[in-house]
């Protein structure tokens, strides 16, 4: 199958599972308008994150890499009234666009964005979190994994985006791909986790979603 066939199946899935959503559409538009990279998760992937958050009854979520708050919105929408999502974002510009989008989504009372390099802001955080979504700079994924294990409650979920990288992790050459291969190996062998990886296709290129349950 070709990329265009995968995209058309994503269109089919969106027609089934993703209602028209002016709030999410505005968030996507803001990403382009602000000249930010359009590397947010796809709609059906956002829905998948949301279903996984529901599955663990998430009350406290940590997201590493917020961009314009697109995946953040999917996740924060299923938090209970007293729930919280903490987002870590390196770029002050991305953080301010995300804050405006989350306010428009009516989620500003539930989402707190901390600006700075996540490797420095993570050690300041206290758990427990029910779900961590890792989606920032790929070279630091091994560091983010160790901090995520520390911060996640037993039975909680650690998710990692982009862990297949068009298949490049199979024979990694670039530094980021070598780091992602290391992340996958750590995920597979860590005694504190029960983990797997799903390959993903669709409107985004061939990639993968890591799913780990904290023991
Ligand atoms: N989760 C978002 C997409 C995140 S894109 C979504 O699906 O909607 C990756 C984000 O990670 C970018 O906004 C980038 O600025 C941020 N980032 C890059 N390096 C980082 C770092 N060292 N610490 C925290 N965030 C970082
Ligand atoms: C790309 C996609 C992502 O989901 C991400 O987090 C970073 C980069 C990309 O397609 O380049
Ligand atoms: Mg990503």
């Amino acid at each position: 199958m070709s990329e265009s066939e995968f995209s058309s199946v994503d269109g089919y899935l969106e027609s089934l599972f993703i209602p028209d959503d002016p709030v999410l559409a505005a968030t996507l538009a803001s990403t382009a308008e602000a000249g930010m990279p359009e590397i947010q998760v796809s709609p059906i992937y956002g829905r998948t994150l949301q279903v996984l958050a529901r599955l663990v009854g998430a009350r406290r979520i940590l997201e590493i890499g917020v961009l314009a708050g697109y995946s953040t919105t999917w996740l924060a929408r299923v938090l209970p009234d007293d729930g919280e999502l903490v987002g870590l974002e390196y770029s002050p510009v991305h953080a301010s666009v995300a804050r405006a989008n989350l306010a428009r989504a009516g989620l500003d009372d539930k989402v707190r964005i901390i600006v700075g390099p996540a490797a420095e802001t993570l050690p300041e955080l206290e758990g427990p979190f029910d779900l961590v979504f890792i989606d920032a700079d790929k070279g630091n994924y091994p560091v983010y994994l160790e901090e995520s294990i520390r911060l996640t409650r037993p039975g909680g979920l650690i998710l990692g985006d982009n862990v297949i990288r068009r298949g490049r992790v199979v024979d990694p050459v670039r530094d980021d791909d070598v780091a992602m291969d290391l992340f996958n190996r750590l995920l597979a062998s860590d005694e504190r986790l029960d983990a797997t990886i799903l390959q993903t296709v669709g409107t985004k290129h061939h990639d993968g979603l890591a799913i780990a349950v904290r023991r």
Side-chain angles (χ1 to χ4, degrees):
M1 266 177 88
S2 66
E3 295 262 330
S4 76
E5 286 168 300
F6 292 137
S7 283
S8 84
V9 174
D10 249 10
Y12 165 77
L13 295 175
E14 286 168 29
S15 76
L16 293 181
F17 292 97
I18 317 283
D20 279 339
D21 191 323
V23 168
L24 284 173
T27 292
L28 293 178
S30 79
T31 312
E33 273 159 29
M36 294 157 62
E38 293 179 74
I39 54 174
Q40 69 284 332
V41 297
S42 69
I44 197 67
Y45 196 112
R47 177 67 180 155
T48 302
L49 295 176
Q50 190 175 68
V51 169
L52 290 168
R54 288 274 295 114
L55 186 67
V56 288
R59 309 180 70 83
R60 248 190 125 215
I61 296 174
L62 173 62
E63 180 172 62
I64 308 173
V66 173
L67 194 66
Y70 182 79
S71 56
T72 322
T73 299
W74 278 106
L75 287 166
R77 278 177 169 174
V78 291
L79 285 170
D81 287 344
D82 61 347
E84 178 189 39
L85 185 150
V86 176
L88 306 183
E89 175 51 55
Y90 175 77
S91 157
V93 173
H94 295 187
S96 92
V97 172
R99 285 186 183 118
N101 287 330
L102 292 157
R104 192 195 300 104
L107 295 166
D108 41 340
D109 56 332
K110 288 185 187 161
V111 178
R112 179 161 57 100
I113 296 175
I114 301 172
V115 178
E120 288 175 26
T121 55
L122 273 167
E124 309 287 319
L125 291 180
E126 281 177 36
F129 288 89
D130 304 295
L131 186 154
V132 180
F133 179 46
I134 305 172
D135 191 20
D137 51 319
K138 310 312 168 195
N140 274 320
Y141 265 44
V143 173
Y144 300 155
L145 179 61
E146 187 57 37
E147 284 294 313
S148 299
I149 293 170
R150 177 180 71 81
L151 290 164
T152 303
R153 69 156 164 90
L157 274 184
I158 299 171
L159 306 174
D161 193 24
N162 310 117
V163 300
I164 296 296
R165 316 252 314 163
R166 301 179 194 253
R168 292 196 305 268
V169 287
V170 172
D171 195 4
V173 177
R174 303 185 202 177
D175 287 353
D176 279 2
D177 298 334
V178 169
M180 195 61 83
D181 173 42
L182 175 60
F183 172 86
N184 292 341
R185 288 169 189 280
L186 293 168
L187 193 85
S189 61
D190 198 297
E191 304 268 316
R192 298 165 292 179
L193 301 173
D194 289 309
T196 189
I197 290 174
L198 297 180
Q199 297 190 63
T200 55
V201 293
T203 53
K204 306 278 165 173
H205 58 74
H206 174 213
D207 218 315
L209 171 64
I211 304 178
V213 181
R214 178 74 164 95
R215 280 189 186 152

